[in-house]
């Protein structure tokens, strides 16, 4: 992987350069959820917004046992409060998965609304028994990531521990449809990405495998007279019942990438033969892959993907973290659990070293910690990676040494 004039690409043996990621002028991470504008653009008598919770801390494989009790980050609470301000003027009712981050999202939304609203906790909104059941799934959580499991379920390949797609959607709609009897009310149901993705695919019939559900992203289920319909990304779809499968083919067009010689191609679970065309050497127990459409992903040594989606560019894993990038959006980091490390996006990023990463925004290069926050306010023309807690930063041809952080022997973590 090399960079030429703001373009990341692959350099083949014959000198052919294939661009894969063009550095944007500014990072453009997901902003206001599309469904909030859909609320005012579509006519409804009653509406349910079925959404993912706000931002939570990232998980690594080594600490994924605690994922069920993870709460929101400070930024997540602020984003949920901001969502509440957008919903002022609507008669809002709140329903939530009993998981803390979902309940906290509802509480923060109520704060943004400026109202003291009760939060109805419903196991069916995002707990075990709706889409998946605990016995059987617990054995898969360390192997197959939830995103991959959901994409399999959407395509008609349910795994042990998951109800088939049609059953998942029916169970969710059994909760949602009674809410539509509330005339003029917007019911906000806060759930999880694994549930929202299946509700989208099982009602719309389409969920691209190169797209995922961002924090506070969601779908609308509406009633207009006697008609029930769903709204996803601005489009109305009549609801006639849950679907047994959905089209998960990628939305991004194939691209021609001329590749250098590949290492041994690993056997990737749930990938069709020939889907993987290039593999890099293992790093931190994971291999960087390029698929037959020219997009990037990672796979573990046991053949399980690290996450379900693909990226326009990706780098090697180190200490459980890898850099990734999305065309037109920016670059960030994922963990070996498939989570976004801190949901902070930049124009360019380099891999973490000693718990510190070099990143670039519209003003220049600087360093961030594991929480994605800058370690200092200055910006530079170039910076080196951390080594022994120090780095060199260059601006206008003048290099200065900075002390970034004490070196720790402890493993990196969120």
């Amino acid at each position: 992987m090399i960079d030429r004039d703001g373009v990341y690409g692959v350099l083949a043996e014959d000198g052919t350069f294939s661009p894969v990621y063009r550095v944007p002028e500014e990072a453009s991470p997901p902003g206001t959820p599309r469904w909030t504008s859909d609320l005012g653009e579509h006519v409804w008598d009653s509406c349910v917004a079925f959404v993912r919770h706000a931002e939570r801390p990232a998980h690594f494989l080594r600490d994924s046992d605690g994922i069920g009790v993870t709460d929101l980050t400070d930024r997540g609470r602020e984003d949920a409060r901001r969502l509440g301000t957008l919903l002022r003027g609507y008669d809002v009712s709140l329903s939530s998965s009993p998981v803390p981050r979902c309940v906290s999202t509802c509480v923060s939304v109520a704060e943004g609304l400026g109202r003291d609203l009760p939060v109805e906790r419903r196991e069916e909104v995002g707990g075990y028994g709706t889409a998946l059941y605990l016995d059987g799934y617990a054995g898969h959580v360390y192997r197959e990531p939830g995103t991959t499991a959901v994409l399999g379920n959407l395509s008609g390949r349910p795994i042990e521990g998951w109800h088939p797609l049609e059953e998942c959607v029916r169970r969710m709609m059994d909760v949602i449809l009674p809410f539509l009897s509330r005339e003029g009310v917007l019911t906000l149901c806060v759930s999880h990405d694994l549930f929202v993705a299946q509700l989208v695919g099982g009602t719309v019939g389409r969920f691209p495998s190169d797209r995922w559900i961002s924090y506070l992203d969601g779908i609308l289920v509406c009633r207009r007279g006697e008609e029930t319909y769903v709204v996803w990304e601005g489009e109305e779809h009549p609801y006639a019942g849950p679907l047994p499968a959905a089209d998960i083919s990628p939305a991004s067009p194939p691209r021609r990438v001329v590749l250098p010689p590949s290492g041994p191609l690993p056997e990737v679970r749930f990938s069709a033969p020939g889907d993987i065309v290039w593999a890099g050497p293992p790093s931190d127990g994971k291999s960087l892959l390029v698929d037959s459409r020219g997009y990037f992903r990672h796979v573990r040594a046991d053949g399980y993907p690290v996450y379900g989606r693909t990226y326009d560019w990706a780098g090697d894993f180190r200490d459980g973290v890898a850099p990734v990038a999305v065309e037109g959006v920016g670059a960030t980091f994922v963990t070996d659990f498939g989570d976004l490390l801190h949901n902070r996006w930049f124009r360019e990023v380099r891999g973490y070293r000693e718990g510190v990463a070099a990143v670039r925004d519209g003003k220049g290069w600087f360093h961030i910690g594991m929480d994605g926050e800058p370690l200092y306010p200055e910006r530079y023309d170039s910076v080196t990676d951390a080594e022994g807690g120090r780095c060199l930063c260059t601006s206008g041809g003048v290099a200065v040494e900075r002390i970034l952080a004490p070196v720790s022997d402890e493993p990196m973590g969120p």
Side-chain angles (χ1 to χ4, degrees):
M1 303 302 305
I2 62 173
D3 171 22
R4 287 185 176 178
D5 299 324
V7 179
Y8 283 55
V10 178
L11 187 64
E13 273 192 320
D14 63 1
T16 301
F17 179 75
S18 303
V20 295
Y21 170 66
R22 294 166 179 80
V23 177
E25 289 301 315
E26 290 287 353
S28 303
T32 304
R34 173 62 188 266
W35 64 265
T36 58
S37 58
D38 289 339
L39 279 172
E41 296 173 3
H42 296 263
V43 179
W44 48 268
D45 299 322
S46 182
C47 183
V48 173
F50 196 87
V51 307
R52 186 186 184 187
H53 54 77
E55 182 186 277
R56 62 160 171 80
H59 279 266
F60 291 72
L61 277 178
R62 60 180 174 266
D63 69 352
S64 57
D65 273 341
I67 194 168
V69 296
T70 304
D71 212 324
L72 300 181
T73 62
D74 290 342
R75 181 180 178 181
R77 289 185 173 86
E78 181 56 35
D79 288 344
R81 283 191 285 268
R82 190 177 302 112
L83 173 62
T85 65
L86 296 177
L87 300 181
R88 292 176 182 176
Y90 292 100
D91 184 2
V92 178
S93 177
L94 301 174
S95 183
S96 172
S97 160
V99 175
R101 55 186 173 273
C102 297
V103 176
S104 294
T105 298
C106 284
V107 170
S108 297
V109 167
E111 291 172 358
L113 283 164
R115 306 179 206 167
D116 184 18
L117 294 178
V119 179
E120 179 187 16
R121 293 167 172 81
R122 293 284 295 272
E123 188 74 24
E124 304 95 323
V125 170
Y128 292 106
T130 303
L132 54 90
Y133 45 91
L134 182 58
D135 292 338
Y137 180 68
H140 285 268
V141 74
Y142 296 109
R143 291 184 282 161
E144 184 176 24
T147 53
T148 307
V150 165
L151 292 174
N153 222 20
L154 286 166
S155 62
R157 182 193 57 81
I159 67 168
E160 181 185 357
W162 290 77
H163 297 296
L165 177 64
E166 193 168 9
E167 178 70 5
C168 290
V169 174
R170 184 192 64 76
R171 287 169 177 263
M172 285 186 274
M173 292 300 285
D174 283 349
V175 177
I176 292 170
L177 292 176
F179 289 144
L180 296 182
S181 64
R182 301 171 174 176
E183 196 71 24
V185 174
L186 167 64
T187 303
L188 180 67
C189 286
V190 179
S191 185
H192 307 270
D193 54 345
L194 305 184
F195 290 71
V196 178
Q198 293 187 91
L199 186 62
V200 171
T203 56
V204 174
R206 170 86 169 121
F207 188 82
S209 57
D210 55 351
R211 186 222 196 276
W212 197 245
I213 301 295
S214 305
Y215 293 119
L216 297 176
D217 194 5
I219 183 173
L220 301 181
V221 182
C222 307
R223 177 180 59 80
R224 185 169 52 227
E226 299 299 317
E227 175 192 5
T228 301
Y229 62 97
V230 298
V231 180
W232 171 244
E233 296 188 334
E235 297 291 328
E236 282 191 16
H237 303 264
Y239 177 69
L243 302 172
D247 175 12
I248 65 167
S249 60
S252 302
R255 57 188 185 181
R256 183 174 180 269
V257 178
V258 181
L259 297 163
S262 173
L265 296 180
E267 182 177 339
V268 182
R269 294 176 184 266
F270 319 125
S271 285
D275 184 49
I276 304 301
V277 297
W278 183 88
S283 175
D284 196 24
K286 272 77 64 179
S287 294
L288 178 62
L289 309 178
V290 178
D291 65 25
S292 58
R293 303 179 68 257
Y295 293 90
F296 292 70
R297 66 180 78 173
H298 289 93
V299 66
R300 300 199 308 250
D302 59 7
Y304 282 90
V306 176
Y307 41 77
R309 62 162 300 165
T310 56
Y311 287 96
D312 292 299
W313 169 83
D316 286 334
F317 265 89
R318 182 189 296 144
D319 293 326
V321 182
V324 294
V326 178
E327 184 78 17
V329 177
T332 188
F333 301 88
V334 295
T335 74
D336 59 5
F337 194 69
D339 279 350
L340 294 182
L341 176 62
H342 43 55
N343 199 31
R344 307 301 192 268
W345 294 78
F346 308 92
R347 297 181 67 196
E348 293 183 81
V349 302
R350 298 207 298 267
Y352 272 89
R353 186 184 296 273
E354 299 179 5
V356 174
V359 301
R360 182 161 77 101
D361 63 12
K363 298 179 180 178
W365 285 94
F366 58 105
H367 291 89
I368 60 172
M370 292 294 288
D371 59 0
E373 295 300 319
L375 298 182
Y376 48 81
E378 294 84 3
R379 300 294 187 268
Y380 295 95
D381 297 334
S382 66
V383 296
T384 63
D385 292 335
E387 185 172 351
R390 299 171 182 269
C391 71
L392 286 179
C393 304
T394 304
S395 184
V398 178
V400 297
E401 184 181 59
R402 294 200 74 119
I403 298 176
L404 297 174
V407 178
S408 172
D409 293 329
E410 295 296 320
M412 292 170 57

